[in-house]
Amino acid sequence: MEMLWRLRRRQVVAVPSRQALQQARELELVESSPDEPLRLTPLGAKVSDSLSEYAYWKQRGRRHHWAEEIAALQVENLRGKRILEVGCGAGVNLLSLQRCAEVVGIDVEPLYLQFTGVLARLEGVPTPTRVCGRAERLPFEDESFDVALFHGSLPYMRIEKALREAGRVLRPGGRVLVIHGDLGQAIASRASQRRWRLLTPRVFLREVRAVGGMAVYPWLGRLFLEPFAPVYPTRRRMRRWLTQAGLRVNTHETCRIAHEVCYVAEKPAGIGR
Ligand SMILES: C[S@@+](CC[C@H](N)C(=O)[O-])C[C@H]1O[C@@H](n2cnc3c(N)ncnc32)[C@H](O)[C@@H]1O
């Protein structure tokens, strides 16, 4: 597990035991050639992501992300609701939330969804309902959920479309909860992580592309971004997209948390779509 985690973050890997290495190779999680270092296969990257989510979830006492810190995510505010997690990944939030609510997860990546079943069995809990599909075209009826939750997933989607779809499937009075970084914070954290490496032309150009691509995303979409690169818009832009999706931003409950923002927005009662 540690080997996969480190390889995912491009960290130095201590020489793994022969047995661990052989197993990882047999399972096609890692590959290497004589003159190249050990690296994860695409399957290995997904397995590493899922195992990391599971490990962090256990460290948090098997609670969903920000279960205590953000009022809108506290159990008392979610109890009895019908919740859709959009971009649920390996589904650790679903495992927690199903204790107090009816949950459905959707993700574009079938392997992550398969992992939810494995984790549920490991934990001895029911397997939550998951659907494989895209956030931009949710396979659910209008007004069928009380809460649509995006935890760390919206940056990878067509943001405006995903928010419009979330607005569509929400019942009047329902809420969208989005935990998402913003542009300023993203630039600051990228700069502090890379520091001197920014002086290397290759790293510098990659960063210019990533930050420039995010800045022009509202007009040009993902044209300049690498595939699967995240997009962190400004807070003002996010509020505009939420409003355009027919949602009313709750300025009292929207809050900053660590290096992200939790946007809380409601679908006004009495507005059908
Ligand atoms: C950073 S993970 C977050 C996982 C989970 N929400 C959590 O908090 O642990 C982002 C997830 O969004 C999913 N995703 C990205 N684009 C998507 C799309 N267009 N539709 C549905 N899911 C998508 C990815 O497959 C990935 O599982």
Side-chain angles (χ1 to χ4, degrees), residues 49-50 52-75 78 85 87-97 99 149-153 177 179 257 260 262:
D49 288 346
S50 303
S52 304
E53 276 181 32
Y54 182 50
Y56 288 139
W57 178 72
K58 286 208 291 189
Q59 271 174 26
R60 292 197 300 273
R62 295 180 164 77
R63 284 190 282 264
H64 57 278
H65 282 286
W66 305 121
E68 289 177 343
E69 296 82 354
I70 297 178
L73 283 170
Q74 284 168 1
V75 169
L78 297 175
E85 186 179 7
C88 60
V92 291
N93 292 325
L94 303 175
L95 296 182
S96 311
L97 288 167
R99 294 185 213 125
L149 169 65
F150 293 81
H151 189 281
S153 54
L177 310 176
I179 291 107
I257 182 88
E260 294 178 301
C262 174

Side-chain angles (χ1 to χ4, degrees), residues 89-227:
V92 291
N93 292 325
L94 303 175
L95 296 182
S96 311
L97 288 167
Q98 69 178 357
R99 294 185 213 125
C100 70
E102 185 188 336
V103 292
V104 178
I106 183 165
D107 202 284
V108 74
E109 175 49 64
L111 194 111
Y112 291 147
L113 297 175
Q114 242 174 299
F115 238 91
T116 316
V118 175
L119 300 184
R121 276 198 298 283
L122 268 177
E123 291 291 318
V125 298
T127 303
T129 307
R130 297 96 69 216
V131 176
C132 190
R134 300 198 71 86
E136 296 82 356
R137 207 188 167 112
L138 293 175
F140 305 111
E141 288 185 6
D142 294 2
E143 304 188 359
S144 47
F145 290 92
D146 302 301
V147 175
L149 169 65
F150 293 81
H151 189 281
S153 54
L154 197 58
Y156 304 95
M157 299 170 178
R158 282 306 310 247
I159 299 178
E160 324 81 295
K161 286 192 183 163
L163 289 178
R164 266 205 305 275
E165 275 294 89
R168 177 182 67 76
V169 301
L170 276 186
R171 296 188 180 123
R175 297 179 132 197
V176 171
L177 310 176
V178 184
I179 291 107
H180 199 131
D182 81 348
L183 185 63
Q185 288 164 319
I187 295 174
S189 96
R190 292 182 86 101
S192 78
Q193 274 166 22
R194 288 161 186 73
R195 289 191 199 162
W196 297 111
R197 287 198 292 133
L198 280 175
L199 297 176
T200 328
R202 198 171 55 86
V203 176
F204 180 75
L205 286 175
R206 215 178 49 219
E207 288 307 301
V208 168
R209 178 178 175 188
V211 173
M214 282 194 245
V216 298
Y217 170 87
W219 301 278
L220 300 179
R222 296 188 153 268
L223 189 64
F224 290 112
L225 288 163
E226 285 181 21

